[in-house]
PDB file of all heavy atoms in Angstrom:
ATOM      1  N   VAL A  24     146.444 196.031  89.043  1.00 96.00           N
ATOM      2  CA  VAL A  24     145.649 195.209  89.862  1.00 96.00           C
ATOM      3  C   VAL A  24     144.480 194.690  89.013  1.00 96.00           C
ATOM      4  O   VAL A  24     143.812 195.441  88.348  1.00 96.00           O
ATOM      5  CB  VAL A  24     145.116 196.052  91.081  1.00 96.00           C
ATOM      6  CG1 VAL A  24     144.177 195.196  91.898  1.00 96.00           C
ATOM      7  CG2 VAL A  24     146.263 196.621  91.899  1.00 96.00           C
ATOM      8  N   ALA A  25     144.348 193.382  89.069  1.00 96.00           N
ATOM      9  CA  ALA A  25     143.203 192.755  88.437  1.00 96.00           C
ATOM     10  C   ALA A  25     142.359 192.028  89.439  1.00 96.00           C
ATOM     11  O   ALA A  25     142.867 191.440  90.411  1.00 96.00           O
ATOM     12  CB  ALA A  25     143.732 191.695  87.367  1.00 96.00           C
ATOM     13  N   ALA A  26     141.091 192.082  89.316  1.00 93.00           N
ATOM     14  CA  ALA A  26     140.098 191.492  90.305  1.00 93.00           C
ATOM     15  C   ALA A  26     138.944 190.852  89.519  1.00 93.00           C
ATOM     16  O   ALA A  26     138.550 191.233  88.503  1.00 93.00           O
ATOM     17  CB  ALA A  26     139.615 192.548  91.297  1.00 93.00           C
ATOM     18  N   LEU A  27     138.457 189.748  90.259  1.00 86.00           N
ATOM     19  CA  LEU A  27     137.234 189.111  89.795  1.00 86.00           C
ATOM     20  C   LEU A  27     136.197 189.352  90.928  1.00 86.00           C
ATOM     21  O   LEU A  27     136.526 189.541  92.122  1.00 86.00           O
ATOM     22  CB  LEU A  27     137.415 187.562  89.742  1.00 86.00           C
ATOM     23  CG  LEU A  27     138.280 187.100  88.612  1.00 86.00           C
ATOM     24  CD1 LEU A  27     138.824 185.796  88.883  1.00 86.00           C
ATOM     25  CD2 LEU A  27     137.569 187.233  87.343  1.00 86.00           C
ATOM     26  N   SER A  28     134.912 189.347  90.502  1.00 77.00           N
ATOM     27  CA  SER A  28     133.801 189.438  91.566  1.00 77.00           C
ATOM     28  C   SER A  28     133.897 188.203  92.457  1.00 77.00           C
ATOM     29  O   SER A  28     134.195 187.127  91.871  1.00 77.00           O
ATOM     30  CB  SER A  28     132.494 189.716  90.982  1.00 77.00           C
ATOM     31  OG  SER A  28     132.030 188.457  90.355  1.00 77.00           O
ATOM     32  N   PRO A  29     133.379 188.274  93.659  1.00 72.00           N
ATOM     33  CA  PRO A  29     133.258 187.064  94.455  1.00 72.00           C
ATOM     34  C   PRO A  29     132.500 185.889  93.809  1.00 72.00           C
ATOM     35  O   PRO A  29     132.734 184.767  93.900  1.00 72.00           O
ATOM     36  CB  PRO A  29     132.623 187.570  95.819  1.00 72.00           C
ATOM     37  CG  PRO A  29     132.992 188.952  95.903  1.00 72.00           C
ATOM     38  CD  PRO A  29     133.008 189.469  94.394  1.00 72.00           C
ATOM     39  N   ASP A  30     131.387 186.285  93.104  1.00 73.00           N
ATOM     40  CA  ASP A  30     130.594 185.268  92.433  1.00 73.00           C
ATOM     41  C   ASP A  30     131.388 184.560  91.369  1.00 73.00           C
ATOM     42  O   ASP A  30     131.264 183.328  91.172  1.00 73.00           O
ATOM     43  CB  ASP A  30     129.385 185.936  91.778  1.00 73.00           C
ATOM     44  CG  ASP A  30     128.351 186.409  92.794  1.00 73.00           C
ATOM     45  OD1 ASP A  30     128.456 186.000  93.945  1.00 73.00           O
ATOM     46  OD2 ASP A  30     127.572 187.198  92.370  1.00 73.00           O
ATOM     47  N   GLN A  31     132.343 185.285  90.744  1.00 73.00           N
ATOM     48  CA  GLN A  31     133.087 184.628  89.626  1.00 73.00           C
ATOM     49  C   GLN A  31     134.210 183.748  90.289  1.00 73.00           C
ATOM     50  O   GLN A  31     134.652 182.747  89.579  1.00 73.00           O
ATOM     51  CB  GLN A  31     133.734 185.593  88.766  1.00 73.00           C
ATOM     52  CG  GLN A  31     132.647 186.423  87.923  1.00 73.00           C
ATOM     53  CD  GLN A  31     133.270 187.704  87.319  1.00 73.00           C
ATOM     54  OE1 GLN A  31     134.147 188.407  87.967  1.00 73.00           O
ATOM     55  NE2 GLN A  31     132.821 187.994  86.150  1.00 73.00           N
ATOM     56  N   MET A  32     134.625 184.040  91.471  1.00 71.00           N
ATOM     57  CA  MET A  32     135.614 183.148  92.093  1.00 71.00           C
ATOM     58  C   MET A  32     135.066 181.877  92.764  1.00 71.00           C
ATOM     59  O   MET A  32     135.821 180.962  92.946  1.00 71.00           O
ATOM     60  CB  MET A  32     136.430 184.037  93.173  1.00 71.00           C
ATOM     61  CG  MET A  32     137.204 185.107  92.637  1.00 71.00           C
ATOM     62  SD  MET A  32     138.118 185.978  93.943  1.00 71.00           S
ATOM     63  CE  MET A  32     136.950 187.240  94.324  1.00 71.00           C
ATOM     64  N   THR A  33     133.824 181.937  93.151  1.00 70.00           N
ATOM     65  CA  THR A  33     133.253 180.797  93.843  1.00 70.00           C
ATOM     66  C   THR A  33     132.304 179.984  93.080  1.00 70.00           C
ATOM     67  O   THR A  33     131.980 178.836  93.434  1.00 70.00           O
ATOM     68  CB  THR A  33     132.609 181.278  95.154  1.00 70.00           C
ATOM     69  OG1 THR A  33     131.617 182.143  94.816  1.00 70.00           O
ATOM     70  CG2 THR A  33     133.516 181.928  96.085  1.00 70.00           C
ATOM     71  N   GLY A  34     131.805 180.427  91.958  1.00 73.00           N
ATOM     72  CA  GLY A  34     130.855 179.808  91.093  1.00 73.00           C
ATOM     73  C   GLY A  34     131.528 179.210  89.849  1.00 73.00           C
ATOM     74  O   GLY A  34     132.736 179.231  89.830  1.00 73.00           O
ATOM     75  N   PRO A  35     130.693 178.696  88.942  1.00 77.00           N
ATOM     76  CA  PRO A  35     131.255 178.245  87.663  1.00 77.00           C
ATOM     77  C   PRO A  35     132.013 179.365  86.954  1.00 77.00           C
ATOM     78  O   PRO A  35     131.514 180.437  86.736  1.00 77.00           O
ATOM     79  CB  PRO A  35     130.088 177.794  86.944  1.00 77.00           C
ATOM     80  CG  PRO A  35     128.949 177.653  87.879  1.00 77.00           C
ATOM     81  CD  PRO A  35     129.333 178.577  89.015  1.00 77.00           C
ATOM     82  N   VAL A  36     133.275 179.095  86.692  1.00 76.00           N
ATOM     83  CA  VAL A  36     134.174 180.043  86.000  1.00 76.00           C
ATOM     84  C   VAL A  36     134.024 179.973  84.534  1.00 76.00           C
ATOM     85  O   VAL A  36     134.190 178.801  83.941  1.00 76.00           O
ATOM     86  CB  VAL A  36     135.573 179.800  86.456  1.00 76.00           C
ATOM     87  CG1 VAL A  36     136.530 180.810  85.736  1.00 76.00           C
ATOM     88  CG2 VAL A  36     135.813 179.986  87.940  1.00 76.00           C
ATOM     89  N   PRO A  37     133.737 181.044  83.871  1.00 85.00           N
ATOM     90  CA  PRO A  37     133.752 180.944  82.330  1.00 85.00           C
ATOM     91  C   PRO A  37     135.165 180.887  81.895  1.00 85.00           C
ATOM     92  O   PRO A  37     135.842 181.926  81.647  1.00 85.00           O
ATOM     93  CB  PRO A  37     133.035 182.294  81.934  1.00 85.00           C
ATOM     94  CG  PRO A  37     133.231 183.247  83.134  1.00 85.00           C
ATOM     95  CD  PRO A  37     133.336 182.336  84.311  1.00 85.00           C
ATOM     96  N   VAL A  38     135.663 179.737  81.866  1.00 87.00           N
ATOM     97  CA  VAL A  38     137.201 179.476  81.673  1.00 87.00           C
ATOM     98  C   VAL A  38     137.644 180.190  80.361  1.00 87.00           C
ATOM     99  O   VAL A  38     138.741 180.818  80.502  1.00 87.00           O
ATOM    100  CB  VAL A  38     137.538 177.990  81.725  1.00 87.00           C
ATOM    101  CG1 VAL A  38     138.970 177.698  81.410  1.00 87.00           C
ATOM    102  CG2 VAL A  38     137.090 177.397  83.058  1.00 87.00           C
ATOM    103  N   GLN A  39     137.044 179.969  79.288  1.00 92.00           N
ATOM    104  CA  GLN A  39     137.544 180.566  78.054  1.00 92.00           C
ATOM    105  C   GLN A  39     137.599 182.027  78.168  1.00 92.00           C
ATOM    106  O   GLN A  39     138.575 182.689  77.700  1.00 92.00           O
ATOM    107  CB  GLN A  39     136.713 180.179  76.841  1.00 92.00           C
ATOM    108  CG  GLN A  39     137.235 180.542  75.498  1.00 92.00           C
ATOM    109  CD  GLN A  39     138.676 179.961  75.299  1.00 92.00           C
ATOM    110  OE1 GLN A  39     139.051 178.883  75.587  1.00 92.00           O
ATOM    111  NE2 GLN A  39     139.456 180.813  74.578  1.00 92.00           N
ATOM    112  N   THR A  40     136.634 182.671  78.683  1.00 91.00           N
ATOM    113  CA  THR A  40     136.612 184.147  78.738  1.00 91.00           C
ATOM    114  C   THR A  40     137.649 184.657  79.750  1.00 91.00           C
ATOM    115  O   THR A  40     138.369 185.633  79.502  1.00 91.00           O
ATOM    116  CB  THR A  40     135.227 184.575  79.392  1.00 91.00           C
ATOM    117  OG1 THR A  40     134.165 184.201  78.461  1.00 91.00           O
ATOM    118  CG2 THR A  40     135.170 186.131  79.431  1.00 91.00           C
ATOM    119  N   LEU A  41     137.799 183.881  80.884  1.00 92.00           N
ATOM    120  CA  LEU A  41     138.929 184.278  81.794  1.00 92.00           C
ATOM    121  C   LEU A  41     140.260 184.087  81.133  1.00 92.00           C
ATOM    122  O   LEU A  41     141.147 184.987  81.301  1.00 92.00           O
ATOM    123  CB  LEU A  41     138.843 183.406  83.042  1.00 92.00           C
ATOM    124  CG  LEU A  41     139.851 183.648  84.223  1.00 92.00           C
ATOM    125  CD1 LEU A  41     139.693 185.103  84.733  1.00 92.00           C
ATOM    126  CD2 LEU A  41     139.752 182.691  85.223  1.00 92.00           C
ATOM    127  N   ARG A  42     140.419 183.012  80.438  1.00 94.00           N
ATOM    128  CA  ARG A  42     141.733 182.838  79.696  1.00 94.00           C
ATOM    129  C   ARG A  42     141.983 183.911  78.740  1.00 94.00           C
ATOM    130  O   ARG A  42     143.169 184.423  78.668  1.00 94.00           O
ATOM    131  CB  ARG A  42     141.793 181.476  78.998  1.00 94.00           C
ATOM    132  CG  ARG A  42     142.992 181.062  78.272  1.00 94.00           C
ATOM    133  CD  ARG A  42     142.914 179.671  77.718  1.00 94.00           C
ATOM    134  NE  ARG A  42     142.629 178.693  78.774  1.00 94.00           N
ATOM    135  CZ  ARG A  42     142.165 177.575  78.552  1.00 94.00           C
ATOM    136  NH1 ARG A  42     141.710 177.182  77.370  1.00 94.00           N
ATOM    137  NH2 ARG A  42     141.876 176.743  79.600  1.00 94.00           N
ATOM    138  N   GLU A  43     141.032 184.402  78.054  1.00 95.00           N
ATOM    139  CA  GLU A  43     141.203 185.419  77.055  1.00 95.00           C
ATOM    140  C   GLU A  43     141.606 186.718  77.831  1.00 95.00           C
ATOM    141  O   GLU A  43     142.391 187.528  77.358  1.00 95.00           O
ATOM    142  CB  GLU A  43     139.951 185.607  76.308  1.00 95.00           C
ATOM    143  CG  GLU A  43     139.744 184.548  75.286  1.00 95.00           C
ATOM    144  CD  GLU A  43     138.352 184.461  74.600  1.00 95.00           C
ATOM    145  OE1 GLU A  43     137.548 185.447  74.878  1.00 95.00           O
ATOM    146  OE2 GLU A  43     138.071 183.559  73.919  1.00 95.00           O
ATOM    147  N   ASP A  44     140.838 187.088  78.914  1.00 95.00           N
ATOM    148  CA  ASP A  44     141.174 188.281  79.675  1.00 95.00           C
ATOM    149  C   ASP A  44     142.588 188.226  80.239  1.00 95.00           C
ATOM    150  O   ASP A  44     143.382 189.204  80.160  1.00 95.00           O
ATOM    151  CB  ASP A  44     140.091 188.438  80.793  1.00 95.00           C
ATOM    152  CG  ASP A  44     138.866 189.147  80.382  1.00 95.00           C
ATOM    153  OD1 ASP A  44     138.728 189.464  79.127  1.00 95.00           O
ATOM    154  OD2 ASP A  44     138.020 189.376  81.287  1.00 95.00           O
ATOM    155  N   PHE A  45     142.930 187.056  80.810  1.00 97.00           N
ATOM    156  CA  PHE A  45     144.271 186.962  81.367  1.00 97.00           C
ATOM    157  C   PHE A  45     145.355 187.148  80.230  1.00 97.00           C
ATOM    158  O   PHE A  45     146.371 187.766  80.387  1.00 97.00           O
ATOM    159  CB  PHE A  45     144.575 185.600  81.945  1.00 97.00           C
ATOM    160  CG  PHE A  45     144.055 185.483  83.376  1.00 97.00           C
ATOM    161  CD1 PHE A  45     143.737 184.243  83.957  1.00 97.00           C
ATOM    162  CD2 PHE A  45     144.069 186.696  84.295  1.00 97.00           C
ATOM    163  CE1 PHE A  45     143.262 184.182  85.332  1.00 97.00           C
ATOM    164  CE2 PHE A  45     143.589 186.534  85.530  1.00 97.00           C
ATOM    165  CZ  PHE A  45     143.192 185.354  86.101  1.00 97.00           C
ATOM    166  N   GLN A  46     145.070 186.584  78.988  1.00 97.00           N
ATOM    167  CA  GLN A  46     145.988 186.762  77.899  1.00 97.00           C
ATOM    168  C   GLN A  46     146.102 188.189  77.571  1.00 97.00           C
ATOM    169  O   GLN A  46     147.271 188.656  77.285  1.00 97.00           O
ATOM    170  CB  GLN A  46     145.512 185.951  76.693  1.00 97.00           C
ATOM    171  CG  GLN A  46     146.432 185.944  75.511  1.00 97.00           C
ATOM    172  CD  GLN A  46     147.844 185.588  75.743  1.00 97.00           C
ATOM    173  OE1 GLN A  46     148.022 184.400  76.230  1.00 97.00           O
ATOM    174  NE2 GLN A  46     148.799 186.260  75.419  1.00 97.00           N
ATOM    175  N   LYS A  47     145.049 188.883  77.414  1.00 97.00           N
ATOM    176  CA  LYS A  47     145.056 190.325  77.163  1.00 97.00           C
ATOM    177  C   LYS A  47     145.868 191.102  78.076  1.00 97.00           C
ATOM    178  O   LYS A  47     146.837 191.845  77.721  1.00 97.00           O
ATOM    179  CB  LYS A  47     143.720 190.925  77.063  1.00 97.00           C
ATOM    180  CG  LYS A  47     142.867 190.655  75.777  1.00 97.00           C
ATOM    181  CD  LYS A  47     141.458 191.261  75.912  1.00 97.00           C
ATOM    182  CE  LYS A  47     140.563 190.716  74.888  1.00 97.00           C
ATOM    183  NZ  LYS A  47     139.233 191.339  75.039  1.00 97.00           N
ATOM    184  N   LEU A  48     145.566 190.840  79.389  1.00 97.00           N
ATOM    185  CA  LEU A  48     146.357 191.505  80.375  1.00 97.00           C
ATOM    186  C   LEU A  48     147.869 191.142  80.452  1.00 97.00           C
ATOM    187  O   LEU A  48     148.705 192.023  80.520  1.00 97.00           O
ATOM    188  CB  LEU A  48     145.795 191.149  81.776  1.00 97.00           C
ATOM    189  CG  LEU A  48     146.407 191.891  83.072  1.00 97.00           C
ATOM    190  CD1 LEU A  48     146.537 193.365  82.836  1.00 97.00           C
ATOM    191  CD2 LEU A  48     145.740 191.511  84.257  1.00 97.00           C
ATOM    192  N   ALA A  49     148.164 189.904  80.268  1.00 97.00           N
ATOM    193  CA  ALA A  49     149.622 189.461  80.124  1.00 97.00           C
ATOM    194  C   ALA A  49     150.301 190.249  79.058  1.00 97.00           C
ATOM    195  O   ALA A  49     151.376 190.544  79.129  1.00 97.00           O
ATOM    196  CB  ALA A  49     149.732 188.060  80.034  1.00 97.00           C
ATOM    197  N   ASP A  50     149.578 190.300  77.880  1.00 96.00           N
ATOM    198  CA  ASP A  50     150.122 191.090  76.741  1.00 96.00           C
ATOM    199  C   ASP A  50     150.303 192.524  76.920  1.00 96.00           C
ATOM    200  O   ASP A  50     151.280 193.106  76.473  1.00 96.00           O
ATOM    201  CB  ASP A  50     149.333 190.778  75.471  1.00 96.00           C
ATOM    202  CG  ASP A  50     149.400 189.310  74.955  1.00 96.00           C
ATOM    203  OD1 ASP A  50     150.259 188.560  75.338  1.00 96.00           O
ATOM    204  OD2 ASP A  50     148.543 189.010  74.213  1.00 96.00           O
ATOM    205  N   GLU A  51     149.423 193.156  77.683  1.00 95.00           N
ATOM    206  CA  GLU A  51     149.360 194.570  77.827  1.00 95.00           C
ATOM    207  C   GLU A  51     150.148 195.076  79.041  1.00 95.00           C
ATOM    208  O   GLU A  51     150.670 196.226  79.029  1.00 95.00           O
ATOM    209  CB  GLU A  51     147.959 195.015  77.982  1.00 95.00           C
ATOM    210  CG  GLU A  51     147.798 196.541  78.012  1.00 95.00           C
ATOM    211  CD  GLU A  51     146.333 197.026  78.219  1.00 95.00           C
ATOM    212  OE1 GLU A  51     145.675 196.556  79.120  1.00 95.00           O
ATOM    213  OE2 GLU A  51     145.907 197.729  77.369  1.00 95.00           O
ATOM    214  N   ALA A  52     150.271 194.343  80.056  1.00 96.00           N
ATOM    215  CA  ALA A  52     150.869 194.715  81.368  1.00 96.00           C
ATOM    216  C   ALA A  52     152.423 195.216  81.163  1.00 96.00           C
ATOM    217  O   ALA A  52     153.101 194.595  80.407  1.00 96.00           O
ATOM    218  CB  ALA A  52     150.851 193.696  82.392  1.00 96.00           C
ATOM    219  N   THR A  53     152.660 196.239  81.808  1.00 95.00           N
ATOM    220  CA  THR A  53     154.049 196.724  81.790  1.00 95.00           C
ATOM    221  C   THR A  53     154.597 196.847  83.222  1.00 95.00           C
ATOM    222  O   THR A  53     155.761 197.210  83.319  1.00 95.00           O
ATOM    223  CB  THR A  53     154.098 198.147  81.124  1.00 95.00           C
ATOM    224  OG1 THR A  53     153.235 199.035  81.882  1.00 95.00           O
ATOM    225  CG2 THR A  53     153.694 198.149  79.664  1.00 95.00           C
ATOM    226  N   THR A  54     153.823 196.525  84.213  1.00 96.00           N
ATOM    227  CA  THR A  54     154.242 196.456  85.543  1.00 96.00           C
ATOM    228  C   THR A  54     153.836 195.178  86.218  1.00 96.00           C
ATOM    229  O   THR A  54     153.080 194.398  85.628  1.00 96.00           O
ATOM    230  CB  THR A  54     153.551 197.603  86.358  1.00 96.00           C
ATOM    231  OG1 THR A  54     152.076 197.405  86.379  1.00 96.00           O
ATOM    232  CG2 THR A  54     153.819 199.022  85.857  1.00 96.00           C
ATOM    233  N   PRO A  55     154.485 194.804  87.347  1.00 97.00           N
ATOM    234  CA  PRO A  55     154.022 193.559  88.023  1.00 97.00           C
ATOM    235  C   PRO A  55     152.508 193.606  88.233  1.00 97.00           C
ATOM    236  O   PRO A  55     151.874 194.658  88.336  1.00 97.00           O
ATOM    237  CB  PRO A  55     154.715 193.605  89.323  1.00 97.00           C
ATOM    238  CG  PRO A  55     155.959 194.474  89.030  1.00 97.00           C
ATOM    239  CD  PRO A  55     155.466 195.511  88.098  1.00 97.00           C
ATOM    240  N   VAL A  56     151.904 192.358  88.275  1.00 98.00           N
ATOM    241  CA  VAL A  56     150.414 192.290  88.307  1.00 98.00           C
ATOM    242  C   VAL A  56     149.913 191.605  89.695  1.00 98.00           C
ATOM    243  O   VAL A  56     150.627 190.653  90.159  1.00 98.00           O
ATOM    244  CB  VAL A  56     149.918 191.419  87.265  1.00 98.00           C
ATOM    245  CG1 VAL A  56     148.367 191.233  87.337  1.00 98.00           C
ATOM    246  CG2 VAL A  56     150.262 192.004  85.890  1.00 98.00           C
ATOM    247  N   VAL A  57     148.958 192.315  90.305  1.00 97.00           N
ATOM    248  CA  VAL A  57     148.316 191.742  91.583  1.00 97.00           C
ATOM    249  C   VAL A  57     146.994 191.094  91.033  1.00 97.00           C
ATOM    250  O   VAL A  57     146.231 191.852  90.418  1.00 97.00           O
ATOM    251  CB  VAL A  57     148.139 192.840  92.573  1.00 97.00           C
ATOM    252  CG1 VAL A  57     147.313 192.341  93.680  1.00 97.00           C
ATOM    253  CG2 VAL A  57     149.432 193.509  93.030  1.00 97.00           C
TER     254      VAL A  57
END
C-alpha cells in the first residue's frame, strides 16, 4: 500500500520526486500495489 498526504494530492505535486518514488516502488514491489 502506497499513500500520499491529502495536501500532496490536491496541491502542487513535486512531480520529479513523485516519479522517483514511484520508480523505486515499482522496482522494489513483489506484490500487487494499492
Side-chain angles (χ1 to χ4, degrees):
V24 179
L27 291 163
S28 75
D30 291 342
Q31 292 164 325
M32 289 183 272
T33 59
V36 177
V38 174
Q39 186 60 37
T40 303
L41 181 61
R42 185 175 296 156
E43 290 168 5
D44 277 5
F45 276 156
Q46 179 64 50
K47 286 179 189 178
L48 181 53
D50 290 345
E51 184 182 58
T53 58
T54 61
V56 177
V57 173

